[in-house]
Amino acid sequence: MTQVSRKPNYLSTPYLTRMAILAAISFILFLVQIPVVAFYKLDLSNIPVLLGAFSMGTVPGIIILAVKCLLALTRTTSAGVGDLADFLMSAALVIPAALIYHRQKTRKNALIGMAAGTLCMVVIGVLSNKFIMLPFYMGAYHMDMEGILKFANVGGVDSEWKLLLLITAPFNLLKGLVLSIVTGVIYKPLSPLLHQKIK
Protein backbone atom coordinates (compact mmCIF):
# COMPACT_ATOMS: atom_id res chain seq x y z
CA MET A 1 0.00 0.00 0.00
CA THR A 2 1.32 3.41 -0.95
CA GLN A 3 1.69 5.69 2.03
CA VAL A 4 0.32 9.17 1.53
CA SER A 5 2.63 11.76 3.05
CA ARG A 6 0.88 14.21 5.32
CA LYS A 7 1.29 17.90 4.78
CA PRO A 8 3.02 19.60 7.69
CA ASN A 9 0.77 21.49 10.08
CA TYR A 10 2.38 24.91 10.29
CA LEU A 11 -0.10 25.91 13.00
CA SER A 12 1.03 23.16 15.36
CA THR A 13 2.73 24.21 18.58
CA PRO A 14 6.23 22.96 17.61
CA TYR A 15 6.17 24.87 14.32
CA LEU A 16 4.75 28.06 15.82
CA THR A 17 7.23 27.96 18.69
CA ARG A 18 10.19 27.47 16.39
CA MET A 19 9.04 30.17 14.00
CA ALA A 20 8.53 32.61 16.87
CA ILE A 21 12.00 31.95 18.28
CA LEU A 22 13.68 32.31 14.89
CA ALA A 23 11.73 35.49 14.13
CA ALA A 24 12.80 37.00 17.46
CA ILE A 25 16.45 36.13 16.79
CA SER A 26 16.12 37.54 13.28
CA PHE A 27 14.80 40.85 14.64
CA ILE A 28 17.61 41.07 17.20
CA LEU A 29 20.18 40.52 14.44
CA PHE A 30 18.40 43.15 12.35
CA LEU A 31 19.19 45.71 15.04
CA VAL A 32 22.94 45.17 14.53
CA GLN A 33 23.80 46.83 11.22
CA ILE A 34 27.30 47.26 9.84
CA PRO A 35 27.91 50.19 7.45
CA VAL A 36 29.49 48.95 4.21
CA VAL A 37 29.27 51.54 1.43
CA ALA A 38 27.23 54.70 0.80
CA PHE A 39 23.99 54.33 2.80
CA TYR A 40 23.96 50.51 2.65
CA LYS A 41 24.36 48.51 5.85
CA LEU A 42 24.90 44.78 6.31
CA ASP A 43 22.88 42.78 8.81
CA LEU A 44 22.62 39.04 9.42
CA SER A 45 18.89 38.90 10.14
CA ASN A 46 18.16 36.55 7.25
CA ILE A 47 20.26 33.75 8.70
CA PRO A 48 17.46 32.59 11.05
CA VAL A 49 15.04 32.97 8.13
CA LEU A 50 17.15 30.63 5.98
CA LEU A 51 17.56 28.19 8.88
CA GLY A 52 13.79 28.11 9.30
CA ALA A 53 13.16 27.71 5.58
CA PHE A 54 15.66 24.85 5.33
CA SER A 55 14.46 23.01 8.44
CA MET A 56 10.70 23.55 8.14
CA GLY A 57 9.95 24.63 4.59
CA THR A 58 9.44 27.65 2.37
CA VAL A 59 6.18 28.78 3.99
CA PRO A 60 7.58 28.88 7.56
CA GLY A 61 10.64 30.71 6.21
CA ILE A 62 8.45 33.42 4.68
CA ILE A 63 6.38 33.64 7.87
CA ILE A 64 9.56 34.16 9.91
CA LEU A 65 10.66 36.83 7.45
CA ALA A 66 7.28 38.57 7.55
CA VAL A 67 7.25 38.64 11.36
CA LYS A 68 10.79 40.07 11.40
CA CYS A 69 9.78 42.81 8.96
CA LEU A 70 6.65 43.61 10.98
CA LEU A 71 8.75 43.91 14.14
CA ALA A 72 11.16 46.13 12.21
CA LEU A 73 8.29 48.55 11.57
CA THR A 74 8.59 49.58 15.21
CA ARG A 75 11.97 51.13 14.35
CA THR A 76 11.34 52.24 10.78
CA THR A 77 12.69 55.54 9.51
CA SER A 78 11.11 55.16 6.08
CA ALA A 79 7.37 54.87 6.84
CA GLY A 80 7.64 51.14 6.19
CA VAL A 81 8.87 51.56 2.62
CA GLY A 82 12.35 50.29 3.47
CA ASP A 83 10.84 47.32 5.29
CA LEU A 84 8.75 46.46 2.22
CA ALA A 85 11.89 46.57 0.06
CA ASP A 86 13.74 44.45 2.63
CA PHE A 87 10.93 41.88 2.58
CA LEU A 88 10.99 41.66 -1.23
CA MET A 89 14.78 41.31 -1.42
CA SER A 90 14.92 38.80 1.42
CA ALA A 91 12.09 36.73 -0.06
CA ALA A 92 13.99 36.68 -3.36
CA LEU A 93 16.87 35.04 -1.48
CA VAL A 94 14.89 32.66 0.72
CA ILE A 95 12.28 31.27 -1.69
CA PRO A 96 14.66 29.90 -4.37
CA ALA A 97 17.07 28.63 -1.69
CA ALA A 98 14.33 26.73 0.15
CA LEU A 99 12.60 25.37 -2.96
CA ILE A 100 15.81 24.01 -4.45
CA TYR A 101 16.99 22.53 -1.15
CA HIS A 102 13.68 20.77 -0.44
CA ARG A 103 13.69 19.06 -3.85
CA GLN A 104 16.54 16.95 -2.50
CA LYS A 105 17.98 17.76 0.90
CA THR A 106 21.70 17.72 0.24
CA ARG A 107 24.48 20.16 1.06
CA LYS A 108 25.03 20.64 -2.67
CA ASN A 109 21.41 21.65 -3.23
CA ALA A 110 21.54 24.00 -0.25
CA LEU A 111 24.55 25.76 -1.78
CA ILE A 112 22.98 25.84 -5.25
CA GLY A 113 19.76 27.19 -3.75
CA MET A 114 21.51 29.95 -1.85
CA ALA A 115 23.56 30.86 -4.93
CA ALA A 116 20.37 31.11 -7.00
CA GLY A 117 18.70 33.07 -4.22
CA THR A 118 21.63 35.47 -4.02
CA LEU A 119 21.39 36.20 -7.75
CA CYS A 120 17.65 36.77 -7.42
CA MET A 121 18.27 39.10 -4.47
CA VAL A 122 20.74 41.12 -6.54
CA VAL A 123 18.16 41.59 -9.32
CA ILE A 124 15.28 42.39 -6.95
CA GLY A 125 17.60 44.68 -4.98
CA VAL A 126 18.34 46.76 -8.06
CA LEU A 127 14.66 46.90 -9.05
CA SER A 128 13.35 47.69 -5.57
CA ASN A 129 15.92 50.45 -5.11
CA LYS A 130 15.09 51.98 -8.50
CA PHE A 131 11.31 51.81 -8.21
CA ILE A 132 10.72 51.89 -4.43
CA MET A 133 13.57 53.17 -2.27
CA LEU A 134 15.11 55.94 -4.40
CA PRO A 135 11.74 57.50 -5.36
CA PHE A 136 10.69 57.38 -1.69
CA TYR A 137 13.81 59.11 -0.41
CA MET A 138 13.70 61.71 -3.17
CA GLY A 139 10.09 62.48 -2.28
CA ALA A 140 10.46 62.31 1.51
CA TYR A 141 13.58 64.47 1.65
CA HIS A 142 12.80 66.67 -1.39
CA MET A 143 15.98 65.57 -3.17
CA ASP A 144 16.70 64.97 -6.82
CA MET A 145 19.00 62.22 -8.05
CA GLU A 146 21.98 64.55 -7.87
CA GLY A 147 21.25 65.05 -4.18
CA ILE A 148 21.02 61.28 -3.62
CA LEU A 149 24.37 60.78 -5.35
CA LYS A 150 25.98 63.50 -3.23
CA PHE A 151 24.57 61.86 -0.11
CA ALA A 152 25.93 58.46 -1.23
CA ASN A 153 29.32 60.14 -1.66
CA VAL A 154 31.02 57.42 -3.71
CA GLY A 155 33.70 58.56 -6.13
CA GLY A 156 32.92 57.94 -9.80
CA VAL A 157 29.25 57.20 -9.15
CA ASP A 158 27.55 60.08 -10.92
CA SER A 159 24.30 58.58 -12.25
CA GLU A 160 21.38 56.51 -11.02
CA TRP A 161 22.39 53.42 -13.00
CA LYS A 162 25.98 53.64 -11.78
CA LEU A 163 24.64 53.74 -8.24
CA LEU A 164 22.43 50.72 -8.88
CA LEU A 165 24.93 48.62 -10.83
CA LEU A 166 28.19 49.58 -9.13
CA ILE A 167 26.97 49.96 -5.53
CA THR A 168 23.54 48.38 -4.98
CA ALA A 169 24.16 45.18 -6.96
CA PRO A 170 27.64 44.42 -5.53
CA PHE A 171 26.40 45.18 -2.00
CA ASN A 172 23.54 42.68 -2.32
CA LEU A 173 25.90 40.16 -3.87
CA LEU A 174 28.21 40.56 -0.86
CA LYS A 175 25.25 40.30 1.52
CA GLY A 176 24.00 37.13 -0.14
CA LEU A 177 27.45 35.55 -0.02
CA VAL A 178 27.91 36.37 3.67
CA LEU A 179 24.46 35.02 4.57
CA SER A 180 25.02 31.88 2.49
CA ILE A 181 28.44 31.14 3.97
CA VAL A 182 27.35 31.61 7.58
CA THR A 183 24.14 29.60 7.05
CA GLY A 184 26.07 26.84 5.29
CA VAL A 185 28.54 26.60 8.18
CA ILE A 186 26.04 26.57 11.06
CA TYR A 187 23.06 24.69 9.58
CA LYS A 188 24.35 21.16 10.07
CA PRO A 189 25.50 21.65 13.70
CA LEU A 190 22.14 23.27 14.51
CA SER A 191 20.07 20.78 12.50
CA PRO A 192 19.19 18.45 15.44
CA LEU A 193 17.90 21.42 17.42
CA LEU A 194 16.00 22.86 14.46
CA HIS A 195 14.26 19.54 13.74
CA GLN A 196 13.61 18.48 17.32
CA LYS A 197 10.01 17.35 17.99
CA ILE A 198 8.74 18.41 14.56
CA LYS A 199 6.91 15.50 12.94
Side-chain angles (χ1 to χ4, degrees), residues 49-57 97-98 101-102 105 110 114 183 187 195:
V49 180
L50 284 168
L51 292 175
F54 283 161
S55 61
M56 292 180 283
Y101 174 70
H102 282 281
K105 297 179 182 180
M114 288 188 289
T183 302
Y187 180 67
H195 290 89

Side-chain angles (χ1 to χ4, degrees), residues 84-185:
L84 171 61
D86 178 55
F87 177 82
L88 294 175
M89 289 184 282
S90 299
L93 167 67
V94 173
I95 292 174
L99 290 176
I100 292 172
Y101 174 70
H102 282 281
R103 290 183 63 184
Q104 187 176 1
K105 297 179 182 180
T106 63
R107 183 177 180 82
K108 179 181 178 181
N109 268 12
L111 294 174
I112 292 173
M114 288 188 289
T118 295
L119 293 178
C120 289
M121 185 171 71
V122 170
V123 173
I124 297 301
V126 168
L127 294 176
S128 64
N129 272 267
K130 177 170 177 57
F131 295 109
I132 299 176
M133 293 305 301
L134 292 179
F136 167 78
Y137 282 116
M138 285 189 287
Y141 296 101
H142 307 289
M143 301 169 69
D144 56 14
M145 182 51 59
E146 185 179 350
I148 292 287
L149 296 172
K150 284 182 180 178
F151 181 70
N153 192 28
V154 179
V157 176
D158 54 8
S159 70
E160 180 183 22
W161 279 109
K162 283 186 179 180
L163 176 65
L164 294 171
L165 298 179
L166 299 181
I167 304 299
T168 306
F171 168 76
N172 281 296
L173 179 61
L174 171 66
K175 184 175 181 178
L177 288 173
V178 171
L179 294 172
S180 298
I181 290 169
V182 176
T183 302
V185 169

Side-chain angles (χ1 to χ4, degrees), residues 17-60:
T17 301
R18 193 139 310 140
M19 285 188 278
I21 292 171
L22 289 171
I25 296 172
S26 180
F27 176 62
I28 292 169
L29 290 174
F30 173 77
L31 299 178
V32 182
Q33 300 188 351
I34 305 166
V36 177
V37 62
F39 33 69
Y40 294 112
K41 298 177 181 179
L42 176 67
D43 68 80
L44 302 179
S45 63
N46 282 330
I47 292 174
V49 180
L50 284 168
L51 292 175
F54 283 161
S55 61
M56 292 180 283
T58 308
V59 172

Side-chain angles (χ1 to χ4, degrees), residues 71-84:
L71 291 173
L73 286 174
T74 62
R75 299 178 62 87
T76 187
T77 57
S78 61
V81 176
D83 303 288
L84 171 61

